[in-house]
Amino acid sequence: MKISSVVQGKSVYLCIALFAAVSVVGCNGSDGTISFSRKTVDVGRTNVGDSVSAAFRMRNRTDVAMTVTFLPECDCTVLSTDSMELAPRGFGKLEVRAAADAPGEFHKYVYVQTAGSDDFFTIEVKGYAE
């Protein structure tokens, strides 16, 4: 067997595996009715005591208007709004500001819930404080 055939074969398998991973995981966080362009924003490095900002774009994937509610995990995380109304197939944006309160890696979570659902899912701001 030629090396080029092995490399091409591995490339095909890699492409198939990548496609399958994206299909299963998706490119967004979602509860089925709304989707986020990304569920984690990595803000990189910052200093302890500084605040970092992240923006999350979301889309209503249904044909009806809906209310989305946001709850930060702690008082060190401030949101641009506690809830918003999304038009059918409409878009929205949530701004999150979080404090890096200790050295090392940090993770700040926001719990998201759509009206009429008992389930929450999370979006995350993460980074590293020095």
Side-chain angles (χ1 to χ4, degrees), residues 49-126:
D50 286 353
S51 289
V52 296
S53 295
F56 293 88
R57 287 190 44 84
M58 69 204 83
R59 180 173 189 221
N60 177 350
R61 297 174 58 188
T62 71
D63 293 326
V64 296
M66 72 171 53
T67 302
V68 182
T69 305
F70 309 101
L71 178 67
E73 74 167 329
C74 66
D75 292 337
C76 63
T77 305
V78 178
L79 309 178
S80 59
T81 185
D82 293 334
S83 66
M84 72 174 57
E85 184 81 13
L86 291 177
R89 303 282 176 199
F91 291 89
K93 182 177 177 183
L94 176 69
E95 298 280 341
V96 178
R97 188 158 194 78
D101 48 5
E105 190 171 278
F106 63 88
H107 302 267
K108 305 296 180 176
Y109 299 98
V110 176
Y111 304 103
V112 181
Q113 183 180 36
T114 55
S117 172
D118 292 331
D119 298 327
F120 285 89
F121 64 96
T122 58
I123 54 178
E124 170 191 27
V125 176
K126 70 176 188 173

Side-chain angles (χ1 to χ4, degrees), residues 16-28:
I16 292 170
L18 182 59
F19 177 74
V22 169
S23 297
V24 171
V25 174
C27 294
N28 55 50

